[in-house]
């Protein structure tokens, strides 16, 4: 009998919680006993609640403004004080101050940031003077994934000093500094924070997860919104607006990280050098269902990838700008996979849509339209890289050369894609290909315009075109549909119809040795060579039809 009683008691203890959850209340306007046991007796200082909290506790914070400390004359020791999060504690803001359950607390942005704003402010000294503000507002170290900050506005830090080994907070993580912690950030607004590295957040090691957050008007030399180093980062349903990287990474800077971005917007972020929206270095990146608009940088207006493998899907890039290369995306040395994306109204000197160098790039099921380049590659600039394109649409892109694509010294494969109404001043309305052996199959080139090569201009190399149609393309000089300089092109089962040029309405060959089989040339027009004009070289033409072409 005693054995059974002991067993029952032991079993009962097994089902008891290891640690009961405790709620600590904070309200800056509370007038009670300042014990933190209820809203009436809430702590008025958040630091008191943090010093009392244990793992599994929740701290409920009512609307109001809370400071890590206050000072009339602020010294380094004052500015070094932060709100230090406690492992396993949920810090929750946005309360009106009367709620009895979490379900009574509203979680929409208007309620959290307008009706019941709970502000963690670094403006600890002279109000409005950032020179004496906290280095870091919220500090996190070695916490686990149960640690959460939810429903706060975090603003007014200044960690913009020089990098000091003995006190990294002076230069890193203005809003939040996460050192080797696994932190979850929900429904937070980080704004007007400043640092050398990571204006909004600096994360070194560990991981962070942001859900339904906003980063706006933060500033840093590297990573205006976030700086990530050697960690795992997950960002979803978040907005990055107007953040500044005075050198690199207006929205985010990533170095040696694994990053996933989902349903996130990057709007009007700026970097003076690289990565207006994001810069990735030596990282693994996945982006899906996201939106990049009006971001700017010298290279990589929206995204700059360096030695990074990235996968981007179901995302949109519009009105991003680069003064040099890659209005939408810049990639160098890496593996890039872009699927079901839209690039439109982006601009750059080279690569209005994106710029690809020394990389392996695959582009599928995507649209590039109305992108511009002042030099080469209105849609894409591709250099010494392998570029594979399947089921894509290039339309109304503009450049000096290569309206849709400019590709040089590389492997280019185009399958089942269309090029329409692209325009250039010089060569290659649809595509400019230099050297290499481009493979083009089941494609359509229609109503493109150039001085030479309305549809395609090929310089050197030996393109292979199979089951590809050239319709109503125009070149002022030569090669309405296609112009080839040198090489031994193979053209098979293609149709060239109603193309126009001064020389070579359908195709213009200069010192080339083409092999043309089973093709149709119809109603093409030129002063010289309505269907084909060939200068130098030798041509092999078999089983082709020439009908109603005009020219001498």
């Amino acid at each position: 009998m005693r054995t059974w009683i002991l067993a029952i008691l032991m079993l009962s203890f097994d089902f008891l919680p290891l640690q009961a959850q405790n709620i600590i209340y904070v309200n800056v306007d509370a007038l009670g006993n300042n014990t933190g046991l209820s809203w009436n007796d809430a702590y008025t200082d958040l630091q008191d609640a943090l010093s009392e909290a244990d793992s599994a506790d929740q701290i409920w914070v009512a609307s109001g403004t809370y400071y890590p400390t206050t000072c009339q004359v602020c010294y380094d020791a004052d500015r070094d004080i932060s709100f230090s999060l406690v492992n396993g504690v949920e810090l929750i803001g946005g309360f009106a101050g009367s709620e009895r359950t979490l379900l009574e607390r509203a979680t929409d942005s208007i309620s959290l940031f307008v009706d019941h704003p709970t502000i963690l402010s670094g403006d600890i000294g002279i109000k409005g003077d950032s020179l004496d503000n906290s280095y870091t507002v919220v500090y996190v170290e070695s916490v686990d994934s149960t640690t959460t900050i939810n429903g706060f506005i975090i603003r007014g830090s200044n960690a913009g000093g020089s990098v000091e080994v003995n006190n990294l907070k002076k230069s890193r993580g203005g809003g939040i500094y996460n050192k080797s912690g696994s932190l979850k950030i929900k429904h937070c607004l980080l704004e007007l924070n400043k640092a050398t590295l990571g204006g909004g957040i600096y994360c070194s090691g560990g991981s962070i997860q942001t859900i339904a957050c906003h980063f706006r008007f933060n500033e840093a030399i590297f990573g205006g919104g976030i700086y990530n180093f050697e960690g795992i980062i997950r960002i979803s349903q978040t907005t990055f607006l107007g953040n500044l990287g005075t050198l690199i990474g207006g929205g985010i800077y990533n170095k040696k990280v694994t990053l996933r971005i989902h349903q996130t917007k990057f709007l009007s972020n700026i970097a003076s050098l690289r990565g207006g929206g994001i810069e990735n270095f030596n990282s693994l990146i996945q982006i899906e269902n996201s939106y990049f608009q009006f971001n700017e940088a010298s290279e990589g207006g929206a995204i700059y990838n360096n030695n990074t493998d990235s996968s981007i899907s179901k995302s949109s890039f519009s009105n991003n700008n680069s003064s040099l290369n890659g209005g939408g995306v810049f990639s160098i040395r890496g593996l890039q996979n872009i699927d079901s994306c839209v690039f439109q109204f982006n601009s750059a000197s080279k690569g209005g849509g994106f710029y690809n160098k020394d990389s392996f790039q695959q582009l599928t099921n995507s649209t590039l339209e109305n992108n511009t380049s002042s030099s080469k590659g209105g849609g894409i600039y591709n250099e010494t890289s392998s570029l594979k394109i399947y089921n894509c649409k290039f339309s109304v892109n503009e450049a000096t050369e290569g309206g849709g694509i400019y590709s040089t010294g590389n492997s280019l494969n185009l399958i089942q894609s269309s090029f329409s109404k692209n325009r250039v001043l010089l060569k290659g309305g649809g595509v400019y290909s230099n050297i290499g052996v481009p493979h083009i199959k089941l494609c359509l080139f229609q109503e493109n315009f150039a001085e030479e090569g309305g549809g395609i201009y090929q310089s050197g190399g030996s393109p292979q075109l199979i089951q590809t149609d050239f319709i109503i393309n125009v070149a002022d000089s030569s090669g309405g549909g296609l112009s080839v300089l040198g090489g031994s092109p193979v053209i098979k089962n293609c149709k060239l119809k109603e193309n126009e040029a001064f020389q070579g309405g359908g195709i213009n060959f200069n010192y080339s040795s083409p092999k043309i089989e089973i093709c149709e040339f119809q109603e093409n027009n030129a002063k010289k060579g309505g269907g084909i004009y060939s200068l130098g070289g030798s041509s092999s033409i078999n089983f082709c039809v020439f009908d109603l072409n005009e020219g001498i």
Side-chain angles (χ1 to χ4, degrees):
M1 183 66 176
R2 292 180 179 174
T3 303
W4 282 104
I5 293 173
L6 180 60
I8 292 170
L9 288 172
M10 292 178 66
L11 186 61
S12 299
F13 282 118
D14 284 341
F15 283 95
L16 288 175
L18 294 177
Q19 190 170 16
Q21 186 180 73
N22 181 42
I23 298 174
I24 303 171
Y25 298 87
V26 180
N27 187 341
V28 69
D29 295 320
L31 299 175
N33 293 325
N34 200 35
T35 61
L37 296 177
S38 66
W39 284 124
N40 289 334
D41 296 323
Y43 286 124
T44 57
D45 189 340
L46 177 56
Q47 295 286 28
D48 292 334
L50 289 168
S51 65
E52 180 186 320
D54 292 318
S55 181
D57 285 349
Q58 290 183 343
I59 300 176
W60 291 14
V61 187
S63 61
T65 301
Y66 301 84
Y67 303 92
T69 189
T70 56
C71 45
Q72 295 296 320
V73 178
C74 300
Y75 298 97
D76 278 356
D78 301 304
R79 300 182 65 194
D80 199 37
I81 297 171
S82 305
F83 292 115
S84 295
L85 300 192
V86 180
N87 184 45
V89 170
E90 294 182 70
L91 182 62
I92 307 173
F95 289 95
S98 60
E99 295 87 348
R100 291 171 297 175
T101 70
L102 277 177
L103 293 177
E104 296 178 41
R105 169 184 170 268
T107 58
D108 60 281
S109 295
I110 296 297
S111 297
L112 289 176
F113 306 141
V114 178
D115 295 338
H116 307 298
T118 308
I119 302 168
L120 306 183
S121 175
D123 194 4
I124 58 176
I126 300 171
K127 301 309 176 194
D129 184 355
S130 65
L131 295 178
D132 62 358
N133 287 11
S134 301
Y135 297 129
T136 294
V137 177
V138 176
Y139 182 75
V140 185
E141 183 171 357
S142 302
V143 300
D144 63 32
S145 59
T146 62
T147 309
T148 301
I149 182 168
N150 182 344
F152 288 90
I153 299 172
I154 302 170
R155 64 159 67 126
S157 63
N158 186 359
S162 59
V163 176
E164 294 185 19
V165 176
N166 294 329
N167 189 354
L168 297 180
K169 286 169 65 177
K170 285 189 175 182
S171 61
R172 306 183 184 196
I176 298 175
Y177 188 129
N178 180 32
K179 182 179 180 182
S180 304
S182 297
L183 177 65
K184 182 180 291 185
I185 307 167
K186 298 177 64 177
H187 300 291
C188 285
L189 167 62
L190 290 95
E191 64 177 0
L192 302 171
N193 297 288
K194 185 176 181 180
T196 301
L197 306 179
I201 296 176
Y202 177 87
C203 180
S204 177
S207 66
I208 59 171
Q209 180 180 6
T210 73
I211 303 171
C213 291
H214 301 265
F215 293 78
R216 66 184 188 189
F217 311 124
N218 302 287
E219 179 182 340
I221 296 176
F222 290 77
I226 302 177
Y227 184 109
N228 297 313
F229 177 67
E230 292 186 342
I232 299 174
I233 314 300
R234 289 179 293 171
I235 298 172
S236 64
Q237 302 172 37
T238 293
T239 299
F240 291 80
L241 170 65
N243 300 286
L244 173 64
T246 55
L247 285 182
I248 294 171
I252 303 175
Y253 177 83
N254 298 302
K255 183 176 182 180
K256 298 181 180 179
V257 304
T258 299
L259 170 68
R260 181 180 180 185
I261 296 175
H262 178 69
Q263 291 184 342
T264 291
K265 296 179 181 180
F266 292 80
L267 308 172
S268 301
N269 301 286
I270 298 174
S272 62
L273 292 183
R274 304 191 301 263
I278 307 173
E279 166 150 345
N280 303 306
F281 175 73
N282 198 20
S283 296
L284 182 63
I285 309 299
Q286 181 180 358
I287 300 171
E288 58 185 2
N289 292 301
S290 294
Y291 188 68
F292 296 79
Q293 186 177 37
F294 296 119
N295 301 286
E296 296 183 20
S298 294
E299 294 190 298
I303 298 176
Y304 184 99
N305 290 326
N306 185 355
N307 197 33
T308 289
D309 292 348
S310 68
S311 173
I312 306 173
S313 64
K314 299 177 183 177
S315 296
S316 175
F317 296 78
S318 66
N319 298 100
N320 301 287
N321 177 65
S322 166
S323 59
L324 296 177
N325 303 318
V329 177
F330 180 107
S331 295
I332 183 170
R333 292 185 296 274
L335 177 64
Q336 321 299 328
N337 186 6
I338 298 175
D339 179 64
S340 301
C341 291
V342 175
F343 292 78
Q344 57 184 358
F345 299 106
N346 303 287
S347 61
S349 176
K350 292 182 180 179
F354 63 80
Y355 179 103
N356 189 41
K357 184 175 181 180
D358 300 334
S359 300
F360 294 90
Q361 179 108 34
Q362 180 169 291
L363 178 70
T364 56
N365 308 311
S366 295
T367 298
L368 290 92
E369 59 185 7
N370 291 293
N371 301 288
T372 60
S373 162
S374 60
S375 177
K376 300 174 180 179
I380 298 174
Y381 179 92
N382 191 50
E383 181 178 344
T384 58
S385 299
S386 174
L387 177 60
K388 295 182 179 180
I389 297 175
Y390 173 78
N391 193 34
C392 292
K393 177 184 176 182
F394 294 76
S395 64
V396 203
N397 301 288
E398 296 187 6
T400 301
E401 294 185 312
I405 299 174
Y406 183 98
S407 186
T408 180
N410 51 268
S411 170
L412 174 64
N413 288 271
L414 304 178
I415 301 173
Q416 204 170 312
S417 296
S418 66
F419 295 76
S420 63
K421 298 182 180 179
N422 302 285
R423 299 178 63 88
V424 297
L425 294 175
L426 298 177
K427 300 174 181 179
V431 174
Y432 182 112
S433 176
N434 182 37
I435 315 176
V437 182
H439 292 76
I440 302 172
K441 184 177 182 179
L442 296 168
C443 291
L444 172 65
F445 291 80
Q446 186 169 3
E447 297 184 70
N448 301 286
F449 176 83
E451 179 73 16
E452 297 182 60
I456 298 176
Y457 182 88
Q458 175 71 40
S459 176
S462 300
Q464 297 188 18
L465 287 79
I466 299 173
Q467 293 177 276
T468 291
D469 295 341
F470 296 80
I471 312 294
I472 322 177
N473 300 285
V474 177
D476 274 350
S477 177
S478 57
L482 170 67
S483 185
V484 182
L485 175 63
S488 302
V490 175
I491 304 171
K492 187 174 182 178
N493 285 307
C494 294
K495 178 187 288 187
L496 294 99
K497 184 177 181 179
E498 297 183 62
N499 300 288
E500 183 178 341
F502 178 81
Q503 171 175 298
I507 304 177
N508 178 75
F509 294 114
N510 283 330
Y511 303 101
S512 300
S513 299
K515 182 178 181 180
I516 306 173
E517 294 183 351
I518 321 174
C519 292
E520 297 180 17
F521 293 78
Q522 297 178 343
E523 301 179 71
N524 300 288
N525 180 57
K527 293 290 184 180
K528 299 179 181 179
I532 298 175
Y533 182 91
S534 182
L535 175 66
S538 60
S539 301
S540 172
I541 303 174
N542 296 294
F543 309 111
C544 293
V545 175
F546 292 81
D547 186 30
L548 300 176
N549 300 288
E550 294 186 11
I552 299 173

